Amino acid sequence: MVSVTDLQEMYEAMVTARQYEERLQEEYLEGKQPAFDISAGPIPGELHLAAGHEASGAGVCQHLRDDDTVTAPHRPHHIAVAKGVDLKRMTAEIFGRETGLSKGKGGHMHLFDPDVNFACSGIIAEGCPPAVGAGLAAKKRNTDSVAVAFLGEGAIDQGAFLESLNLAAVQDLPVVFVVEDNDWAISMPKDRVTDVENGARRADGFDMPGTRVDADDAVAVYEAAREAIGRAQDRNGPSLLEVQVHRRMGHFMGDPEAYRSDEDKAAAERRDSIDRLEADLRAHGVDDETIDELRSSARERVEEAIEWAKEQPEPEPADAHEDVFTNPPSGVTDSEPNVAKTETGGDD
Amino acid sequence: MAQQEKDPAEGGQTDRSLTMSRAMVEAIAHEMREDDDVFYMGEDVADYGGIFDSTEGLLEEFGRDRIMDVPISETAYIGAAVGAAQAGMRPIAELMFVDFFGVGMDQIYNQMAKNTYMSGGAVSVPMVLTAAVGGTYNDAAQHSQTLYGTFAHLPGMKVVVPSTAYDAKGLMHNAIRDDDPVVYLFHKRLMGIGWLPAPDGPKTPVPEDEYTIPFGSADVKREGSDVTVVTLGLHVHRALEAADELADDGIDAEVVDLRTLVPLDTETVRDSVAKTGRLVVVDEDYRSFGVTGEIVARVAEAEDGLAALEAVERVAVPDVPLPYARPMENEVIPDAEDITDAVRAAHGDE
Ligand SMILES: Cc1ncc(C[n+]2csc(CCOP(=O)(O)OP(=O)(O)O)c2C)c(N)n1
Ligand SMILES: [Mg+2]
């Protein structure tokens, strides 16, 4: 059974992620008013917020250690927070600062924190094969670490996912695939793109255990993930877990969501896994004061990270030329413009 | 320059200007009305109307059978477009961002591009692959590339890169009617999307009537006698901006918009360089092994090409992935100032 400590830690991760994204949203919109221009303001580019997905990140990552690998998709913040990614450096990265996780080269869709073996990326389902690779390394090196690939329900139609299931299964690798089903892939509802309502059934074709957690409930995710991750740790092969979550926001900031009914949006907001976990905490005898403390310490941490990030220096333009290779080859193309041919420049 | 109707006034009503996305959609809608075999597949192309407005309004007129939202399975639906084209239909498949081409690349370059040749001409693949290209809004390494040089490098695909609404419409008509696979790459910054403001240039008068712009006809967007600037896509507008500034200093730059990479209008480029003697190639693709090098080679290969060439400059993305943070993205994507500098250097004023 889930312990009170686990409940509190999951609550903390979820509240931190929610508050973090609320603050990011505020910062993001600065400079984008009154007219929304995606390239303006202190945080430019796309921003995919995960409000409504928190139970999945927290319920799964509660079982993970730093040496377990996580790959996340384009909607990564709640997973990164739950995995223990350095919040300050992640924030600095999102603000495009020099001290960010990737020195400002990656941005919010490409966060890498090797200290806790976390990475995310922007092409649908492309995190699955590297998670299989982390599982393969664990098996070859005979460690008990595991790998978890997170992806959206829209991503389970992608070859990279299905091929990864098969490879992980045939090699008996310690990998867990976690599908976050928020009912939408941008504007496309699930039933428009697949005939299979329960995505966990994709596992059947690979003779792999597949479980769907139907409720947006951190405790239910925690229980299902314990089994799947335990199976991986015990060397009993991969599992697939699908988790019902909700998309409380547009697909990306700036998404007009004209394709989505007001009722659908309101329903997503009603089913708040954070409220639900709070009720669980009370049922386990955690008092209001403790809950308030968890919330305010989360807020402080978020505020501190954002303030810190905003004070960080921007990268120098010339930094753009660094880091293409770990061992830069000699003779790379010079980025200076060619010198115009002059009369003195003989042909031979 | 190949003959074409250059003055929009000749093509019909001209007092309306369209964004590039509206012009593109107008051509698609026209072709769909004319030919039941034309249909459109992609992610978020139905209710959403395309993330970059590439199919805005088409669902309402043509319904879900012809404006098809498809699963996030690029290999399957791009390959399905190849198969449908070989069966005689005229599919348009959209890759939301060109950066995702890796997912469906086998279908693109081993089937779409090669089936005609491998069948000794027995099979044709009359399809269009559309994709959004380009950076300038800090979407980082996986969502900001242009990659048009890669498609142009691999034989078997015609490659179209419009820079204005007028060109976008005429080139789209031609793309759908063409019996070969056409890769139609539109720059996000030019489309006129609400959340990604376009510069002034791409919104142009567009005739209501249909018209085609033949492939392989570059367009001299600005005439000049001192330096030839060859470019395409977004950088046509940046080059025009640079040319205006240079004019104040008495340097008269000619701006050639390639409009298609395959086929390439080598003649227009060579004629211009024969006149100016100085060549600046500007490109938002990677510098090495790409468009800039190819253009320089084509000029050099001409009879007396090297002799006529007094100066050459390349302005392109250095060989690094696109970085996220603003100062670094600005560093690597050429802007008007980079172009002005290169033109001045070619002109000999350092
Ligand atoms: C290969 C590829 N195709 C398309 C996209 C564009 N895209 C980004 S997110 C997204 C929808 C993803 O839906 P889902 O997997 O359900 O995740 P969610 O956004 O709902 O969390 C799409 C189509 C992409 N990034 N990569
Ligand atoms: Mg989804």
Side-chain angles (χ1 to χ4, degrees), chain A residues 282-294:
Chain A
R282 288 183 213 282
H284 279 77
V286 178
D287 57 19
D288 287 358
E289 201 182 328
T290 312
I291 291 174
D292 285 349
E293 252 167 52
L294 291 171

Side-chain angles (χ1 to χ4, degrees), chain A residues 82-95:
Chain A
K83 184 67 170 75
V85 170
D86 185 322
L87 196 64
K88 285 183 171 171
R89 294 189 59 216
M90 163 168 152
T91 313
E93 185 59 32
I94 294 169
F95 278 82

Side-chain angles (χ1 to χ4, degrees), chain B residues 2 14 97 182 185 218 243 246 254 267 272:
Chain B
T14 55
F97 289 69
V182 177
L185 303 169
L246 289 157
E254 178 146 301
E267 199 183 316
S272 178

